[in-house]
Amino acid sequence: MDSAQIDGVRRFNRTVTERVGVLHDRYLGRDRPIGQARLLWEIGDSGQDVRRLRERLGLDSGYVSRLLRSLESDGLVTVEPGRRDRRIRAVTLTEAGRTELATLDRRSDELAGSLLVPLNDGQRARLVSAMAEVDRLLTAATVTLDDIDPESTDARDCLRSYFTEMEAVLPTGFDPERSLLPDAGELRPPRGLFLVARSHGEAVGCAGLKLPRDAPAEIKRMWVSPQARGLGLGRRLLTELELRAAGQGRTLLRLDTHHTLEAAVSLYRACGFREVPAFNDEGYADHWFEKRITATG
Amino acid sequence: MDSAQIDGVRRFNRTVTERVGVLHDRYLGRDRPIGQARLLWEIGDSGQDVRRLRERLGLDSGYVSRLLRSLESDGLVTVEPGRRDRRIRAVTLTEAGRTELATLDRRSDELAGSLLVPLNDGQRARLVSAMAEVDRLLTAATVTLDDIDPESTDARDCLRSYFTEMEAVLPTGFDPERSLLPDAGELRPPRGLFLVARSHGEAVGCAGLKLPRDAPAEIKRMWVSPQARGLGLGRRLLTELELRAAGQGRTLLRLDTHHTLEAAVSLYRACGFREVPAFNDEGYADHWFEKRITATG
DNA sequence: TCCATCCTCTGACTCTAGTCAGAGGGTTGG
DNA sequence: CCAACCCTCTGACTAGAGTCAGAGGATGGA
């Protein structure tokens, strides 16, 4: 990363915060404090729990409560005790609230339009595609990798998606019962680990690493959510697992896969994995790979 | 402009305000109110007039004054009556102020870096170039065209740059005395008009239009600042003048130019101007153009 | 020299954002 | 059924951002 790049990013930040950032808040909130507007957005047409709102916006509970009261006195929302748990109150938009939200939505469109209006067709197309590129890469840059328990909610969500996808992609379908799946213990320290990739707090990918005492380290259940593909996330997970295995003193990393998972297979090759004969009898695999790594632990 | 483009811009706005916008303010200002930090930036190493600060930041004079007092009491700036005009006070950074500014600068670098760190080399390069594209085009989109008096400060600044450039580019040099320059009255309603293009308040281009009673409308002194080239600004000025002339019921638009101004010449052709025999005896011109337009006034 | 004008400053506000410490109901496990 | 815990709400604050009106010194043209 050189200083010309840093300068470029800084220039971008300046332009964008001036042009988009400032307008964004001021313009959209126009006749309503930003806090209230943000809350309206977050409540959305389908309503939301107070608790959830607080978490999503990262605000103090007292503050949210106060904001809700002012929205309520403007007749935009109703707050009622929740059905399941009457402590957790549920917020819904009234008709007026829905109208207000639609207005915010329209303004957001106008704001977007105002950036495009002064440009000609060619410039517009270039701007939109450059924005998409920035968006993708910034999103990629915000993805964090965290160690989590393979039985936590996020892990279960990822694995469910993983299984569903295997089911759809593998020619024979996929039945977890008939696969050599590690049990949770094998993907939990000290016998292994499980990484989740999160974007804005939402799980968008995962990968497990088995670290058996008497066998090489093995990658399991690597998955990237369809909407997060093309961000280099697969490679990042792979690199991270490699580092972790090396950190545990391992010198060999293995994995099994299926040829219909083309993107995965070429990723493995691109990352330096070499194809080897079957080292297990996983019924759903037809290709096996390994890579020598340098122990650092 | 279609709705897919609007959506793209909105998605971009969301990502960027979350990732860049919020961080920008909170992070940079850390242990100092944002207002003060912005003021420090704007004062800069070389100092600044209070009046200028107010204009640039668009703040109330009382507010700026108060901010300056607090910076002063922190020992970061000194405020003294100006030399030329003792009403206009001048602000300079103290040694401590310079240090503080350097800290802000470093943080800004860190922030920029934090966006790049999680990416690999290829992604970084792509992000930086997409950012540059967005920056250019957003800058282009923020350029405003205003009618101003041809003897106002901004107009004079532009014309000075225009003359300097002619001097440098024309093979014979350029002496305003020997050219058929319109006097200011010819570029001022009702006999004409003068447009200035401004980016963030700074004049970056200009163009004059003569509207003589007994002759076709004529474009004069069109200039775009070197740092604003490639933004389609020339074309925008030309289009605007065409509209204005049409709005005055004119059906013919003329201009003279010199072949060494290659970009200008090809712009005229691309905009539908056709070369014609000399219609004046401007000594510094060697090409003459005209375009039929449709009167709308 | 005088007066209109310009520039900066102060005092007195308003509004929004956000924090902190309880109060007071609701829920759940023992 | 009770105690511990959860969730939301209210009251009482603080701090930043910004506005408005007018005071008062400085300047420049008549």
Side-chain angles (χ1 to χ4, degrees), chain B residues 47-67:
Chain B
Q48 193 59 274
D49 291 345
V50 173
R51 188 167 192 286
R52 200 65 183 273
L53 290 177
R54 223 174 41 224
E55 275 169 11
R56 295 280 281 264
L57 296 170
L59 299 175
D60 175 85
S61 75
Y63 184 34
V64 169
S65 176
R66 215 173 302 278
L67 286 173

Side-chain angles (χ1 to χ4, degrees), chain A residues 24 43 119 199:
Chain A
H24 197 65
I43 293 167
L119 302 175
S199 174

Side-chain angles (χ1 to χ4, degrees), chain A residues 10 15 18 123 135 231, chain B residues 15 18 109 123 135 200 231:
Chain A
R10 284 187 59 176
T15 304
E18 266 182 42
Q123 289 175 317
D135 187 22
L231 301 177
Chain B
T15 303
E18 264 182 41
D109 276 354
Q123 290 175 317
D135 187 23
H200 301 294
L231 302 177

Side-chain angles (χ1 to χ4, degrees), chain B residues 155-209:
Chain B
R156 281 173 194 278
D157 287 349
C158 284
L159 292 174
R160 194 168 320 119
S161 308
Y162 170 78
F163 292 147
T164 311
E165 194 169 328
M166 288 300 113
E167 172 72 31
V169 169
L170 296 188
T172 54
F174 184 79
D175 174 9
E177 297 291 317
R178 289 171 46 205
S179 168
L180 292 181
L181 289 174
D183 67 42
E186 288 182 288
L187 299 182
R188 184 186 284 144
R191 295 169 59 199
L193 59 89
F194 193 79
L195 292 180
V196 66
R198 291 201 185 92
S199 173
H200 301 294
E202 193 193 356
V204 294
C206 67
L209 182 66

Side-chain angles (χ1 to χ4, degrees), chain A residues 5 7 10 19 24 62 99 136 172 174 195 205 220 223-224 267 293:
Chain A
Q5 290 186 319
D7 280 353
R10 284 187 59 176
R19 179 69 178 164
H24 197 65
T99 311
R136 287 185 71 72
T172 54
F174 184 78
L195 291 180
K220 279 291 181 186
W223 172 79
V224 174
L267 173 64
I293 58 179

Side-chain angles (χ1 to χ4, degrees), chain B residues 11 48 110 118 140 152 164 278:
Chain B
R11 195 161 30 249
Q48 193 59 274
E110 282 169 15
S152 65
T164 311

Side-chain angles (χ1 to χ4, degrees), chain B residues 82-102:
Chain B
R83 295 202 178 157
R84 280 234 327 268
D85 183 337
R86 292 167 46 80
R87 288 172 303 183
I88 302 179
R89 310 193 65 186
V91 190
T92 17
L93 293 181
T94 60
E95 201 46 54
R98 249 181 278 274
T99 310
E100 182 74 16
L101 183 55

